[in-house]
Amino acid sequence: MLKSASAIALLLANVLPAAGVLFWGWEAFYVVFLYWFENLIVGAFNILRMISASPGPRDQVAGSSPTASLIGAHAAKVFMVPFFTVHYGMFCLVHGVFVFALFGRESGTITPPPGHRGGLFSGVFGAIDEVVTPEVLLCLVGLIISHGYSFLANYLGKGEYKTTPLPALMMRPYPRIVVIHIAILFGAFISMSFGSPIGIMLLLIALKTILDLILHEREHRKAQERLAASTV
């Protein structure tokens, strides 16, 4: 059972790729690309979370005044935000190159000319131009709205920014990427080996949606528990 409006928004955003499979003739590569790009959206909102984090009493350094602890915590952002941006950006870049090099070539989106000896990035930009259709853009807008609503309603609106420490925020996106994308890549391999049949594609989307909802509910439940404990 969905317990929040943000979970419903997440569900609706995840349903849109099913329309791509059913009505727009999407192959596995389109779905994998969409979910890879979602990682960039998640990273962008995580940067906003780190910037707007406001440490509470539990983050106070022993022996220092609340003001000094607050200044020190905010000063840490000067290092931690750029570090996360570079580290997460490189992580997504390597992941993206793998997605395009493998699934793009398998789907025929990346088609280097005969005798071409380009490097690892060869054909990637052409594949992006090929795969970013109006329908894909619609799905990306849906994902941006979903994650944006969660940021506004949960992180800011419900006060999660008061109790979520910066180190936890730095690591926040990685478990989601690992868990969800292992399932996605495994499912996409199976789908493409059978020629991207609709049934397997829809099963892949359903699996990703279920994992997304479970991780979403768990993440925000823990955040609200921390917030409740901080007010006791």
Side-chain angles (χ1 to χ4, degrees):
M1 181 178 179
L2 301 180
K3 299 181 180 180
S4 64
S6 61
I8 295 174
L10 183 63
L11 174 63
L12 294 176
N14 276 284
V15 166
L16 285 175
V21 172
L22 291 171
F23 306 115
W24 302 325
W26 282 9
E27 298 177 350
F29 176 61
Y30 284 79
V31 177
V32 175
F33 166 79
L34 187 68
Y35 292 150
W36 168 77
F37 199 94
E38 185 182 12
N39 294 335
L40 303 182
I41 298 172
V42 169
F45 279 109
N46 199 59
I47 291 171
L48 292 179
R49 285 184 174 91
M50 293 179 71
I51 292 173
S52 55
S54 180
R58 291 194 168 204
D59 299 300
Q60 183 173 338
V61 178
S64 64
S65 67
T67 301
S69 294
L70 187 63
I71 293 174
H74 283 293
K77 297 179 185 179
V78 176
F79 167 76
M80 298 180 76
V81 172
F83 179 82
F84 170 81
T85 302
V86 174
H87 188 274
Y88 186 80
M90 292 299 295
F91 185 91
C92 289
L93 176 63
V94 173
H95 183 192
V97 169
F98 172 78
V99 165
F100 278 97
L102 184 59
F103 292 97
R105 185 169 289 109
E106 288 291 329
S107 68
T109 305
I110 298 178
T111 54
H116 181 68
R117 302 191 178 202
L120 189 61
F121 295 91
S122 176
V124 169
F125 291 106
I128 292 176
D129 184 62
E130 179 74 20
V131 77
V132 180
T133 63
E135 294 82 8
V136 170
L137 288 175
L138 174 64
C139 292
L140 289 176
V141 169
L143 290 170
I144 292 172
I145 292 174
S146 170
H147 288 285
Y149 179 80
S150 180
F151 171 72
L152 294 174
N154 294 317
Y155 191 74
L156 297 182
K158 294 183 179 180
E160 293 178 5
Y161 69 94
K162 298 177 182 178
T163 58
T164 308
L166 281 176
L169 285 172
M170 283 190 65
M171 298 303 299
R172 177 174 177 167
Y174 294 100
R176 177 190 179 277
I177 291 179
V178 172
V179 172
I180 289 180
H181 280 267
I182 285 177
I184 289 173
L185 295 177
F186 179 73
F189 274 122
I190 295 176
S191 177
M192 296 189 74
S193 66
F194 287 95
S196 296
I198 291 178
I200 296 180
M201 294 283 290
L202 293 177
L203 182 61
L204 169 62
I205 293 171
L207 176 61
K208 188 266 183 184
T209 302
I210 292 171
L211 288 173
D212 233 357
L213 289 171
I214 291 173
L215 294 174
H216 173 86
E217 293 289 352
R218 181 184 301 169
E219 177 182 285
H220 293 295
R221 183 179 66 251
K222 289 182 177 179
Q224 289 304 310
E225 289 173 354
R226 287 195 304 268
L227 185 62
S230 68
T231 59
V232 174

